[in-house]
Amino acid sequence: MRTTVGIIGAGPAGLLLARLLHRAGIESVVLEGRDRAYVEQRQRAGILEQGTADVLRAVGAGERMDREGLRHDGIELRFDRRRHRVDFPALTGGRSVTVYAQTEVCKDLIALQLKEGGPLLFEAEALAVEGAESGRPRIPFRHQGREDVLECDYAVGCDGFWGVARKAFPADVSRVFERSYPYAWLGVLADVAPSHDELVYARHDRGFALLSMRSPSVSRLYLQVPAGTDAGRWSDEEIWDELDRRLETDDGRRLERGPLTQKSVTPMRSFVHEPMRHGRLFLAGDAAHIVPPTGAKGLNLAVGDVVTLARALAHERRTGSADLLDAYSATCLRRVWQAERFSYDMTTLLHRAPDATPFDARLQLARLERIASSRAAGTDLAEAYTGFPLG
């Protein structure tokens, strides 16, 4: 099998890259190790930055998002039993975010790819990336019980943290920067309307809590728990009681409760692999970087990567110049590190470390007071949350 761009992974990064390349007249093949049902059901991110939503509209994947997604013009910070709203449009010149689950983004992009784009092979397990230094990388893969090889001009690893693409980088060119956190998120889905019309981020002495949503009738909620926690050890009542404690304010507002349909624990990690390019192999999304979910940056960073790469490939095709391809890693990493910084800041602002002292707690409150009282500090948060420039 032969194509111009071989893409490993049919998550949002791989699917959007294939769509962008299709619209630029560049052939691609997407290899996805899982079946279609798995890709369309795996729960991941749910917040789309302004730029991400704009890109999806531009490639023809925004119709259902605009119909079913929830535009949010701010978030609420809760601390010291008080509430403070961060008004995004007022602080950013009109920018907002959209609540629209990653599963739905994937469904929309899969439908478009199968209808209009190049080959999208499910249950096609990429085994390696070979010859990245050559002008014709090879991706051996297994599909329907048979082994085959995808030859391409460029290979792109959109295959996540555990994928094969990053393993093809020689050890002497790879640099890894990472931090693990001593806490995790216990996340639940609840069949109940959200108790607030925007996301609520709560700092509490017992730990962080987040009130989010997937739709007008489904709530998504999170609790900070110790790393390694077993979600099954928490009863539904214990989860609701703890959410009430951490989200409580002086106005006495309580959460609406409903049946919990899913429980899971998400570890917290910051990770960056440099560079994001080796020869004709490029990394995008979680294959190159991981952020703690507090800043809602993971999916949006992946979109920034593939927009940058698609632009560079189209430029090379149009002009013959590889300048933008050569700059791909440096261009992406500038945005990646700003997102890492913001995600780290939000995480340390709102979570209680196991060894936290009273001094640490007062510093958190002082930082939150600064955001609540200073337009400059509020603007810094709002600009980062709604999205750094793409590319």
Side-chain angles (χ1 to χ4, degrees):
M1 186 180 292
R2 175 100 176 93
T3 192
T4 303
V5 181
I7 302 171
I8 308 172
L15 292 166
L16 180 57
L17 177 59
R19 182 67 181 168
L20 290 164
L21 295 177
H22 171 74
R23 291 173 65 88
I26 300 172
E27 292 182 344
S28 70
V29 172
V30 182
L31 305 176
E32 168 56 48
R34 303 281 192 162
D35 61 28
R36 179 176 179 179
Y38 179 89
V39 174
E40 294 186 339
Q41 292 170 11
R42 56 186 168 193
Q43 292 290 332
R44 293 291 189 273
I47 304 295
L48 309 184
E49 294 175 355
Q50 178 77 56
T52 296
D54 290 344
V55 168
L56 291 172
R57 294 185 187 104
V59 300
E63 180 181 352
R64 195 163 67 93
M65 175 191 70
D66 285 333
R67 186 174 65 250
E68 300 178 11
L70 307 174
R71 172 178 165 140
H72 281 199
D73 287 335
I75 57 172
E76 182 173 286
L77 299 175
R78 292 190 186 180
F79 58 98
D80 205 20
R81 300 177 62 87
R82 289 177 289 145
R83 307 144 63 104
H84 172 73
R85 182 173 184 267
V86 180
D87 186 328
F88 293 157
L91 295 169
T92 64
R95 297 172 69 83
S96 64
V97 297
T98 300
V99 176
Y100 191 63
Q102 176 174 314
T103 51
E104 307 310 309
V105 173
C106 286
K107 289 175 187 176
D108 298 339
L109 290 171
I110 286 170
L112 283 171
Q113 185 71 8
L114 295 177
K115 180 181 178 182
E116 302 175 6
L120 166 55
L121 304 182
F122 290 102
E123 299 180 86
E125 178 189 6
L127 304 175
V129 179
E130 301 171 349
E133 302 89 346
S134 71
R136 184 169 292 188
R138 303 168 75 253
I139 307 173
F141 67 98
R142 186 181 297 114
H143 184 234
Q144 296 180 341
R146 296 173 48 242
E147 292 196 2
D148 202 343
V149 174
L150 176 61
E151 294 186 343
C152 43
D153 297 329
Y154 303 96
V156 185
C158 303
D159 51 346
F161 184 79
W162 301 107
V164 300
R166 194 173 69 247
K167 298 174 184 176
F169 279 61
D172 61 348
V173 305
S174 294
R175 290 183 296 165
V176 169
F177 306 86
E178 59 186 326
R179 174 185 292 270
S180 294
Y181 298 85
Y183 36 74
W185 278 11
L186 170 61
V188 299
L189 280 175
D191 279 342
V192 63
S195 297
H196 197 273
D197 56 2
E198 293 178 335
L199 272 69
V200 177
Y201 289 77
R203 182 267 171 207
H204 193 277
D205 286 341
R206 296 176 64 90
F208 169 74
L210 171 62
L211 187 163
S212 183
M213 63 282 294
R214 282 294 177 262
S215 75
S217 61
V218 177
S219 295
R220 184 73 162 148
L221 305 115
Y222 298 92
L223 287 170
Q224 176 189 342
V225 294
T229 292
D230 178 1
R233 296 178 67 89
W234 283 71
S235 71
D236 292 9
E237 184 177 7
E238 287 173 329
I239 290 171
W240 283 117
D241 287 348
E242 191 62 24
L243 285 164
D244 269 331
R245 290 187 194 99
R246 299 188 192 183
L247 290 161
E248 187 176 23
T249 55
D250 283 336
D251 60 15
R253 184 179 298 187
R254 308 288 285 183
L255 293 174
E256 293 295 327
R257 299 191 177 194
L260 302 184
T261 60
Q262 184 186 100
K263 300 177 187 177
S264 61
V265 172
T266 301
M268 307 282 279
R269 176 196 295 128
S270 298
F271 173 89
V272 179
H273 179 278
E274 296 186 3
M276 291 174 57
R277 175 194 179 180
H278 174 62
R280 292 199 166 206
L281 169 61
F282 300 81
L283 301 180
D286 287 359
H289 41 72
I290 301 286
V291 289
T294 326
K297 287 285 160 267
L299 166 60
N300 297 292
L301 271 184
V303 169
D305 293 344
V306 297
V307 167
T308 301
L309 181 55
R311 184 183 299 145
L313 288 166
H315 177 76
E316 193 261 356
R317 178 188 179 95
R318 186 174 63 254
T319 68
S321 170
D323 289 352
L324 295 185
L325 286 172
D326 292 340
Y328 169 76
S329 183
T331 300
C332 289
L333 285 169
R334 283 193 293 271
R335 189 171 192 268
V336 166
W337 277 110
Q338 285 302 316
E340 292 283 353
R341 185 270 307 171
F342 175 67
S343 299
Y344 175 83
D345 285 350
M346 286 287 284
T347 300
T348 57
L349 173 69
L350 296 164
H351 291 72
R352 178 179 174 82
D355 59 351
T357 66
F359 180 84
D360 298 325
R362 292 303 293 266
L363 279 183
Q364 284 183 319
L365 292 173
R367 292 166 65 191
L368 286 160
E369 290 279 8
R370 174 67 177 168
I371 293 168
S373 61
S374 164
R375 183 178 179 87
T379 298
D380 184 61
L381 189 156
E383 288 181 344
Y385 198 98
T386 56
F388 303 105
L390 297 178

